[in-house]
Amino acid sequence: QVRLVESGGGLVQAGGSLRLSCAASGRAFSTYTLAWFRQAPGKEREFVAVINWTTSTRYTDSVKGRFTISRDNAKNTVYLQMNSLKPEDTAIYYCTASSRTYLPRNQDEYDYWGQGTQVTVSS
């Protein structure tokens, strides 16, 4: 079992920045594929960004150039640096982990989930 705990969410003005963190417990963290999803009120949960054990990454189109996913295996932590935030980025952001070695965008391909952290961007 892997436990994931998100932090770093909050209220920020449009154009501002936040850095989300996800601390993981469990073995073999360095081999996990790690991702961020988000869910806005009334919408489906959507893929945001993913990073695998080789540090290859992919992003959803709406955040490219603004968000950066990274990982620190020594700290068992994955980050999401969010810059130039927009009101439409407002959502609960979830950290998730997968034993798969590619870069999945389907939430069904992830095995462990955190409880989420709220990001609210005001205009």
Side-chain angles (χ1 to χ4, degrees):
Q1 296 290 326
V2 175
R3 182 170 179 262
L4 303 169
V5 180
E6 302 97 333
S7 63
L11 175 65
V12 65
Q13 292 183 336
S17 298
L18 285 173
R19 190 188 194 192
L20 305 184
S21 298
C22 175
S25 62
R27 300 175 65 183
F29 175 86
S30 63
T31 69
Y32 291 146
T33 295
L34 303 166
W36 291 92
F37 285 70
R38 66 186 181 186
Q39 187 168 24
K43 296 184 178 180
E44 297 290 324
R45 186 179 299 182
E46 67 169 341
F47 167 81
V48 177
V50 59
I51 184 167
N52 72 5
W53 65 279
T54 70
T55 70
S56 295
T57 61
R58 69 188 298 183
Y59 300 87
T60 193
D61 287 344
S62 64
V63 308
K64 287 180 179 177
R66 299 189 299 122
F67 290 10
T68 302
I69 188 169
S70 62
R71 63 193 296 165
D72 186 338
N73 291 337
K75 296 181 178 180
N76 284 4
T77 301
V78 60
Y79 304 95
L80 185 67
Q81 178 67 47
M82 305 186 295
N83 299 325
S84 302
L85 283 162
K86 305 174 181 179
E88 52 262 44
D89 294 318
T90 295
I92 300 173
Y93 284 71
Y94 296 91
C95 176
T96 186
S98 175
S99 61
R100 297 163 177 81
T101 58
Y102 52 97
L103 300 169
R105 297 180 65 187
N106 189 332
Q107 61 183 314
D108 293 336
E109 298 185 87
Y110 289 85
D111 305 302
Y112 307 100
W113 292 83
Q115 295 301 305
T117 185
Q118 178 70 50
V119 172
T120 303
V121 184
S122 62
S123 60

